[in-house]
Amino acid sequence: MNVLTFAALTLREASRRKVLRALAGLTVVLLGLSAWGFHTLVTKEFDGALLTSGELRLIASQLLNLVMFGLSLIAALGTAFLAGPTLAGEIESGTALAIMARPIRRSTVLVGKWLGLIAFGGGFVAMAGLAQFVIVYATTGYWPPSPVTGLALLAFQTAVLLTLGLLFSTLISPMASGVVAVGLFGATWIAGVVGGVGRGLGNDSVAAVGTVSQVILPTDGLWRGAMYAFQDSTALLQFGGAAVRGGFPFLSDAPPTSTYLAWTVVWTLLVLGLAGLVFRRRDL
């Protein structure tokens, strides 16, 4: 019950932060721009003719992956900068000392805040992603083949990043923890693109960059699994060629394996456990 209480308090606190208003504003702008872009795609003529249904479906699926990456980036920014003040801010302000004076375990506080942040991040991904799907379907008629799976993987990606941010918040300042978490998120995505180019060119050394980065921080691996769930089932056949599949950053050639998903769960629990260990020994 104490864990659920802290989870509910974390959700309430997150709803009052200014970063939430910025997050909502960025999301509305992105959804508005995507609606305009997809509508233009349907009505614009190319070489004197409109796109065929097959061409429209293929292009819409790739643009959807591009927009969903934007939403995942907004979710990453929001959760990272919410996770930072969750512990580091309370330690700096003395609020944590007042709470810990009561007979409450630090692990209870940590897990409760973690669950609250996961609920917030998962709820944002679900609502924003569903809104984007409706926009794409209303303008182009395209609906992703596995929307639930894709959104679940994006929510998992958000959970991984906020867990990392929570660990950093037990070590460094709130702002620094958010900056480092988002920086690692971006660096892992770039490493994944580099690895894809290496696979396309048949260079095993460069390809290993993406593989290793996806193991160290699983956010990019989960994102590529989400892309596979969102893209048109014929996209790989239409583009064809290992070089094209590997070098294009918004096209995924395979879903995540069960082994990789299991490792991601283990990774998350290990990082959460490390955060609990550091927080338990932290001088308040």
Side-chain angles (χ1 to χ4, degrees):
M1 290 301 297
N2 286 335
V3 169
L4 294 179
T5 299
F6 277 104
L9 290 173
T10 301
L11 276 174
R12 184 182 302 177
E13 179 187 2
S15 65
R16 296 173 179 173
R17 291 189 178 276
K18 293 182 179 180
V19 68
L20 181 61
R21 293 193 287 271
L23 190 68
L26 287 173
T27 304
V28 170
V29 170
L30 181 60
L31 292 176
L33 289 174
S34 70
W36 173 77
F38 281 105
H39 175 72
T40 303
L41 182 66
V42 174
T43 58
K44 185 176 178 58
E45 293 185 355
F46 296 88
D47 296 330
L50 297 175
L51 293 174
T52 64
S53 60
E55 291 172 338
L56 181 61
R57 180 181 179 86
L58 182 63
I59 295 175
S61 73
Q62 297 307 296
L63 290 180
L64 175 61
N65 277 347
L66 173 60
V67 176
M68 292 305 293
F69 177 75
L71 288 177
S72 72
L73 180 59
I74 292 174
L77 288 169
T79 53
F81 283 100
L82 280 175
T86 297
L87 286 179
E90 292 185 355
I91 293 174
E92 289 184 353
S93 65
T95 304
L97 183 60
I99 296 175
M100 299 307 166
R102 296 169 173 80
I104 299 176
R105 292 184 177 181
R106 295 191 183 189
S107 59
T108 300
V109 177
L110 180 70
V111 174
K113 290 180 176 295
W114 180 71
L115 289 176
L117 290 171
I118 284 182
F120 174 83
F124 168 80
V125 167
M127 291 188 294
L130 182 59
Q132 182 59 53
F133 295 159
V134 171
I135 288 173
V136 175
Y137 184 76
T139 52
T140 67
Y142 176 75
W143 188 262
S146 303
V148 176
T149 300
L151 290 179
L153 289 172
L154 281 187
F156 198 0
Q157 178 197 54
T158 303
V160 166
L161 190 63
L162 70 85
T163 305
L164 184 65
L166 205 59
L167 170 62
F168 288 146
S169 73
T170 64
L171 297 168
I172 53 181
S173 67
M175 181 61 70
S177 63
V179 170
V180 173
V182 174
L184 290 175
F185 171 84
T188 304
W189 181 77
I190 293 173
V193 174
V194 172
V197 173
R199 287 191 298 273
L201 297 176
N203 189 321
D204 294 336
S205 298
V206 177
V209 173
T211 303
V212 172
S213 67
Q214 290 171 4
V215 172
I216 295 176
L217 180 58
T219 51
D220 185 63
L222 294 172
W223 158 244
R224 295 189 178 279
M227 280 199 300
Y228 188 85
F230 296 146
Q231 72 193 17
D232 182 46
S233 57
T234 65
L236 293 177
L237 295 175
Q238 294 290 332
F239 281 96
V244 176
R245 292 200 307 271
F248 190 57
F250 298 109
L251 184 68
S252 179
D253 57 358
T257 64
S258 56
T259 302
Y260 185 77
L261 292 177
W263 160 247
T264 304
V265 172
V266 172
W267 186 97
T268 304
L269 294 177
L270 287 174
V271 173
L272 181 63
L274 181 59
L277 180 63
V278 175
F279 186 48
R280 186 176 64 184
R281 298 182 177 182
R282 178 75 182 268
D283 184 8
L284 302 181

